[in-house]
Amino acid sequence: MSLNPENGSKDGPELGRAGQERLESAIAPPQLGSDFIVDPTVLTSFPIPGTEIVVAFNYGMSLWGRTAKLVCRLPTGERVNYFLKVTALGEVGKAMTVGEFESLKEMHATSPIFVPKPFAWGRYSVTEPETHFLLAEFRNVGEQPPDPIKFTARLAELHRISRSPTGKFGFHTTTCHAFLTQITDCWEESWSMLFQRQLLHMVTLDQERNGQWEEFKAVCDLTLEKVVPRLLEPLQSEGRSIKPCLIHGDLWDENTATDMDTGEPFVFDAGSMYAHNEYEIGNWRAPRHRLSNKSYIRNYKRNFPVSEPEEEWDARNLLYSLRYDLATFIHYPGSNLRQRYGIERFGPKHLS
């Protein structure tokens, strides 16, 4: 998802970037737009009672909803800004909103500089369409993605200092990757087992959304049955272990930014869980993301050492990228990305 998707494609920002071609151009910062009508329910959700909205503007864009900047006046007369996201997708929108709220809440508690504070979520008073909102701290979006050195240091810190409340992999509620629910509302000792469930869920959704493609299904079945245990079980065997790390869950260029006021990197639009930290980096493999620039991965590894077996890092990264690419196929049915490189990238020569 994005505050400011680049225009020019019916397929959305990720696929409008020529699929796998690397991008060099800068992302334009989100702009203030026309007046934004705020539902009365939001007025009762501010963290300080008696807060009044002075003016509300459309701010940037969201692929699955609307976003706004609220300029408010506190009872003391001080002015403060809030960020509002509104999603009119019924129960799906509720799952997205609750999942993002809980993700930001957990992440902000761990790394408040890196993650805006969420204040509330709720349902609009209108009944049709069923609409939900998220109210959070406002930060001015600057450079996207941020400087690789600062950004990867903050990300690695989040992964390193976070602590799973159960010591296991999973999360305390369901979170979403855009409008797709994830298998997160569970706790697993085995990371291999949880990732296998995640991947199977996405394979199933892809087949439902895009139809059966026998060759690709064969590759996915092979991956689930053979590749996942072969690559992930060694992480927790023969004396090796990995820590469940709190991850953002959907880190791509436009879910990251530099705060224009502080110069600090920050992230938003999360779908979190406690996972293997390297899973977070799987989304950076696709050249359609600027985060695929080697400087981001290189600097991340400097801040968080590669898991053992170290020589299998790239194979794990390819495996993790499949989970994110499947979500892209599902988000934009009818695009050519699935056919263009599904077999080419994940065929037997890569999975042997």
Side-chain angles (χ1 to χ4, degrees):
M1 293 174 69
S2 166
L3 281 178
N4 183 36
E6 297 177 20
N7 296 321
S9 169
K10 65 183 179 63
D11 292 326
E14 294 186 87
L15 302 190
R17 298 170 179 168
Q20 293 306 298
E21 294 177 11
R22 193 174 304 280
L23 293 180
E24 303 296 340
S25 59
I27 299 172
Q31 302 296 313
L32 289 177
S34 58
D35 290 351
F36 188 98
I37 299 175
V38 180
D39 189 86
T41 310
V42 177
L43 298 175
T44 64
S45 301
F46 290 112
I48 300 177
T51 298
E52 299 177 346
I53 298 176
V54 177
V55 63
F57 299 103
N58 283 279
Y59 180 69
M61 297 175 65
S62 171
L63 296 179
W64 321 111
R66 295 177 295 138
T67 49
K69 176 182 181 179
L70 310 184
V71 180
C72 299
R73 182 169 50 241
L74 303 181
T76 60
E78 178 187 357
R79 289 204 176 191
V80 63
N81 299 325
Y82 291 95
F83 174 78
L84 181 70
K85 178 188 284 188
V86 177
T87 307
L89 294 175
E91 286 300 306
V92 172
K94 180 180 179 181
M96 293 167 65
T97 302
V98 174
E100 182 175 357
F101 176 83
E102 293 296 331
S103 297
L104 293 177
K105 181 179 176 182
E106 192 95 349
M107 293 173 69
H108 178 82
T110 305
S111 183
I113 295 177
F114 194 48
V115 184
K117 183 175 183 177
F119 294 110
W121 73 271
R123 178 173 174 174
Y124 265 23
S125 57
V126 296
T127 56
E128 292 292 337
E130 184 179 331
T131 302
H132 297 86
F133 71 88
L134 170 70
L135 183 69
E137 171 191 356
F138 181 86
R139 296 192 186 182
N140 276 309
V141 172
E143 182 184 15
Q144 295 180 279
D147 170 78
I149 295 177
K150 285 186 176 182
F151 173 67
T152 56
R154 287 293 185 194
L155 178 62
E157 180 184 50
L158 170 71
H159 292 164
R160 190 170 55 251
I161 68 176
S162 59
R163 293 288 180 270
S164 167
T166 64
K168 300 178 182 180
F169 300 95
F171 206 56
H172 63 274
T173 191
T174 298
T175 62
C176 296
H177 182 157
F179 59 78
L180 303 175
T181 58
Q182 304 184 109
I183 305 298
T184 56
D185 190 12
C186 59
W187 296 105
E188 292 280 2
E189 293 274 6
S190 166
W191 166 241
S192 178
M193 182 68 69
L194 180 57
F195 180 79
Q196 190 174 51
R197 293 177 63 187
Q198 284 274 5
L199 189 59
L200 175 60
H201 177 60
M202 286 296 163
V203 168
T204 302
L205 291 178
D206 174 62
Q207 292 174 357
E208 292 174 354
R209 185 90 165 176
N210 292 304
Q212 194 85 316
W213 179 16
E214 290 303 325
E215 292 86 351
F216 192 57
K217 182 179 184 299
V219 170
C220 291
D221 289 346
L222 173 65
T223 302
L224 286 162
E225 295 169 11
K226 302 293 184 180
V227 180
V228 171
R230 163 61 188 82
L231 288 178
L232 301 190
E233 287 182 0
L235 293 167
Q236 295 177 281
S237 64
E238 298 181 8
R240 291 182 289 263
S241 64
I242 53 173
K243 167 184 168 298
C245 298
L246 181 60
I247 66 165
H248 176 283
D250 186 18
L251 274 185
W252 68 287
D253 307 343
E254 295 181 36
N255 284 349
T256 70
T258 300
D259 188 323
M260 293 179 66
D261 298 320
T262 67
E264 286 288 339
F266 71 101
V267 297
F268 46 91
D269 206 1
S272 295
M273 64 173 164
Y274 287 90
H276 182 208
N277 67 294
E278 292 178 9
Y279 171 65
E280 187 95 277
I281 315 303
N283 203 22
W284 301 2
R285 194 177 185 97
R288 65 181 179 271
H289 298 318
R290 291 169 180 81
L291 287 170
S292 67
N293 186 300
K294 290 181 180 179
S295 63
Y296 287 95
I297 295 176
R298 183 171 59 248
N299 279 286
Y300 178 81
K301 288 179 178 179
R302 288 172 177 168
N303 288 284
F304 203 121
V306 171
S307 299
E308 296 289 345
E310 186 174 348
E311 66 274 12
E312 294 184 350
W313 183 91
D314 189 66
R316 293 193 298 266
N317 185 254
L318 177 62
L319 174 63
Y320 291 152
S321 74
L322 175 58
R323 156 62 184 80
Y324 290 103
D325 287 327
L326 280 167
T328 301
F329 303 160
I330 300 164
H331 288 147
Y332 306 110
S335 71
N336 67 356
L337 194 56
R338 184 181 188 234
Q339 287 74 17
R340 182 175 178 181
Y341 79 106
I343 293 293
E344 175 186 341
R345 223 172 129 195
F346 299 104
K349 69 177 181 179
H350 295 291
L351 302 179
S352 58

